[in-house]
Amino acid sequence: MKDAQPRTVRLRDYRVPDYLVDQTRLHFELQPRGTLVRSQLHIRRNPEAVAQENGGADIKLPPLELQGVELELLSLAIDGEPVASESFRTSVEGLSVDVERPEFVVEISNRINPEDNTSLEGLYLSNGMYCTQCEAEGFRKITFYPDRPDVMSRFTTTIVAPRDYPVLLSNGNEVERGETEDGRHFVTWEDPFAKPSYLFALVAGDLQHVEDAFITASGREIKLQIFTESKNIGKCEHAMRSLKKAMRWDEEVYGREYDLDIFMVVAVDHFNMGAMENKGLNIFNSACVLASPETATDAAFQRIESIVAHEYFHNWSGNRVTCRDWFQLSLKEGFTVFRDAEFSADMNSRAVKRIEDVSMLRTAQFAEDDGPMAHPVRPDSYMEISNFYTLTVYEKGAEVVRMIHTLLGEEAFRRGSDLYFERHDGQAVTCEDFVKAMEDANGVDLQQFRRWYSQAGTPVLEVTDAYDPGTGDYALTVRQSCPATPGQPEKAPFHIPLKMALLDPIGNDMPLDQAGHTELVLQVSEAEQTFRFKGLPEKPLPSLLRGFSAPVKLRYGYTPEQLLFLMRSESDAFNRWDAGQRLAFIALESLQQDYRAGREMQLSPELVSAYRAVLQNRELDPALVAEMLSLPSAQVLAEEAGEIDAQAIIAAREFAEVSLGQALHEELLATYRAFTREGPYRPEADDIAARRLKNTCLAFLAATGEATYLALAQSQFESAGNMTDSAAALAALVNRGSEAQMHGALDSFYKRWQEDTQVVELWFALQSNSARCGTLEHVRALMQHPAFELKNPNKVRAVIGGFANRNFTQFHKADGSGFEFLSDQVIALDRLNPQVSARLVTPLTRWKKYREAVGSQMHSALKSIMESGQLSADLYEVVSKSLA
Ligand code: B3K
Ligand code: ZN
């Protein structure tokens, strides 16, 4: 546990490191409660620090600062001599050692306790397997070190362990193995690429692996290995296939080849996030790498493909070129998310991928931008960096890179990325360096664009238009604004690429210039700007922000008729979907008003006929149809509301779902049948799309509560040949079936899959998410289930996270019991794993957005966390900023 009031770290205080580490030799003797770590660091004074601080003359050598947390120091020597006790100081943060020469070798030995490490940061045990997680600041929990990303060193690692840990892995290439005199064995690994400590990794255990090979564009053969516990060895094939696709794609699209001779992936059950890009040795949360046709859903297959690719892409965008400091996190994360999104778009449906990503951004990132933890893509201060692995840094960061891509175009963007990789290979750099490379490679000016990195908040674009039938002149006026965020009351205008077209009355895109272009990217850069188009024969309907060309909220007064027209005629698939979302949003708003006024609810007939037309359209990609039939999420409705009324939101969505099911049951059933396919399971785009649409129809049909449709769900549940169909049917029964149907299905599902960790996690999530059965009482019971484990983040996320984040109705129950429950869990978890507790508390941080009675209950829950005793730095930062 750290200090109660952690320090704030600020970007403006950045200083280059005083010392560099050319070579790092590590020696581990693994023991569950007393692992010995020896390190030998070849250190030299950083010439840049000398130049900056002393005008070039090194007057007095500063002490060497080595971070170290919860370590037992056993010995410390410099150049072979033990360091006298008056020559170094220890603190809760590490060691400060007096230095006499500008170049020297430090030798340290210390002891750590992996078994008691429940924070899952540093070296820990997961099901008896040793593994590490060092990003961002976990290496300091292994040994004393200048644990900052701008210190890059060549690592050699020796692991000594008993024979019952046959597999001993670290970064780079294996250079030696053998036996020790006392019957243990060892392996030595050498990584030829200098890297920061956050990319260090070690794994030891009784693991099996699958192996394959990849021939690079230049003809080198790379050995590919995926390691897992033996029971999961049949679940590695999809990840291997995804890895090879990603390697090929990065060569073709970015000209990036893999650099070591071996690439290893390890699956671990206890993991704080999805995966980690350690050099040559990626470590994955089992849920993000293991899949088999019987046990994994289509969503899991796609998630695995994209995360495997993401971590692989980091080898260049993150490892070869890394971050100077943690404020620059989006340099590697935003860029790599953009890269993985484009990869997934190329492998699957581009339009659907874009819709999914934008839905997520609107559901969760916009909320973050609007909450107490709002921060720019490049934050300027933090208390605990782990709290800044956010949707803003990742997803909005990716949108910022995407905007550069949109502004420059494909080829110019590639020139920029080539220059970036070439110029900065082997360096630790900044977001500024990335933008500069894009500018220099193309002779463009992105000065104003840089504000996307420094200003927080979601900009709002208000668009109005005017048409003069006499002259045919059409004017589009765009006003931009951005709400205040913590520490940033005023915002300067952003440079926004606004991709648009103008539709004629038949729905064709009109020519917009002499050259006959029908789509333009308008450069919005002022608070208010008017774009003029001449000689239009008719009044057009604007199609704005095509493909979601900027992460903004677009306001244009579309009428329901215009939205219906766009849903039918728009050629941009994203905007076609978005028109449907806007129409549904209007309908749901009016249902919420009915609910609040105590009136009988009435669903807009326009929405029903629009949905009917979508269902009957056999020309559209079925995956797109499924997206178009999905109502805006409760979170999106909440985000748009001035004041959140959770019960009204739920009632409106529920009513709309049931009404659509009733009104369209014939079309839904026909579509369900048309897209039910026979044959073996294939996780390929066309089959995934068909299942997606079929199961969307099933959910609407089941919502009617009619016995025939519940029987349909029951029969799909019983005969399903894959997990997507099985889970969709189970969800329908859990949400809509009778008590007997629900319990029967849940029990038989559990009996069948109880040995499979990933399926049990899905089974937990289906229950905690369900408004029907995920009551607080039920969630408490799930926490007593033998498969639940408070020390396992996946289980916590499935049960507690599922309830607090996705079970809108039950979590927001009027008696406030959901909030109290969450605060109790957050307090308990903070003692075990601060990264998990700090994330889990998020739903409470939005208390100001709620109606007063609810908001004050949430506020008290937050206060009780604050007053519960000493909090971790992670949780303290989130709670104190939310209460401020
Ligand atoms: N870079 C890691 C995230 C590390 C999170 C540390 N709290 C995974 C990724 O983004 O690829
Ligand atoms: Zn990443």
Side-chain angles (χ1 to χ4, degrees), residues 122-326:
L123 178 68
Y124 64 93
L125 280 162
S126 170
N127 300 344
M129 173 200 320
Y130 288 90
C131 60
T132 53
Q133 171 54 36
C134 294
E135 187 178 2
E137 297 182 335
F139 193 75
R140 63 190 63 185
K141 291 184 155 187
I142 294 176
T143 188
F144 296 94
Y145 200 80
D147 190 13
R148 43 187 290 171
D150 54 358
V151 171
M152 298 175 78
S153 178
R154 271 171 291 108
F155 280 68
T156 303
T157 306
T158 298
I159 310 165
V160 183
R163 280 271 171 209
D164 49 356
Y165 293 88
V167 175
L168 306 177
L169 309 175
S170 191
N171 319 84
N173 303 311
E174 181 183 317
V175 289
E176 202 187 340
R177 64 164 62 225
E179 286 202 15
T180 58
E181 281 171 4
D182 59 4
R184 290 178 295 169
H185 71 140
F186 73 90
V187 179
T188 300
W189 293 84
E190 200 173 273
D191 183 355
F193 293 93
K195 64 169 178 288
S197 50
Y198 84 85
L199 289 172
F200 169 79
L202 175 157
V203 169
D206 185 4
L207 304 173
Q208 305 281 309
H209 73 274
V210 295
E211 187 165 317
D212 206 331
F214 179 83
I215 312 290
T216 68
S218 70
R220 290 171 42 246
E221 182 172 325
I222 316 292
K223 189 195 279 187
L224 310 176
Q225 295 179 320
I226 302 182
F227 291 83
T228 168
E229 292 166 68
S230 64
K231 64 172 187 190
N232 291 324
I233 199 71
K235 287 182 155 195
C236 301
E237 200 187 305
H238 176 65
M240 186 64 92
R241 215 174 327 124
S242 305
L243 174 61
K244 289 194 286 181
K245 285 191 204 167
M247 294 177 87
R248 188 61 73 218
W249 188 89
D250 212 17
E251 292 184 345
E252 288 171 3
V253 180
Y254 281 86
R256 299 292 117 201
E257 224 180 273
Y258 186 63
D259 46 13
L260 289 163
D261 299 333
I262 181 166
F263 186 84
M264 297 173 283
V265 167
V266 182
V268 172
D269 278 351
H270 296 74
F271 210 64
N272 280 344
M273 63 274 171
M276 178 64 212
E277 69 265 24
N278 316 299
K279 182 80 187 185
L281 177 56
N282 284 191
I283 299 182
F284 273 66
N285 184 328
S286 299
C288 298
V289 62
L290 300 176
S292 72
E294 311 78 58
T295 61
T297 60
D298 292 336
F301 271 90
Q302 292 189 321
R303 181 175 71 229
I304 290 166
E305 182 181 78
S306 86
I307 299 181
V308 167
H310 178 99
E311 305 311 329
Y312 173 73
F313 296 154
H314 269 316
N315 190 55
W316 274 96
S317 49
N319 301 2
R320 289 286 287 257
V321 182
T322 194
C323 301
R324 186 193 73 172
D325 54 73
W326 292 120

Side-chain angles (χ1 to χ4, degrees), residues 112 476-477 528 552 585 643 675 748 783 848:
I112 49 179
L476 208 53
T477 299
E528 180 173 334
V552 301
F585 186 83
E643 184 184 70
F675 288 92
S748 83
M783 288 180 65
K848 283 184 189 150

Side-chain angles (χ1 to χ4, degrees), residues 24 42 108 169 239 245 290 295 312-313 320 341 375 390 458 460 481 527 546 572 639 665 684 687 709 790 820 829:
T24 300
H42 290 251
I108 300 171
L169 309 175
K245 285 191 204 167
L290 300 176
T295 61
Y312 173 73
F313 296 154
R320 289 286 287 257
H375 53 277
T390 57
T458 307
V460 178
S481 59
R546 282 191 157 180
D572 182 82
E639 166 55 30
H665 67 106
E684 303 299 330
D687 280 6
Y709 298 131
L790 203 58
E820 257 174 60
L829 274 157

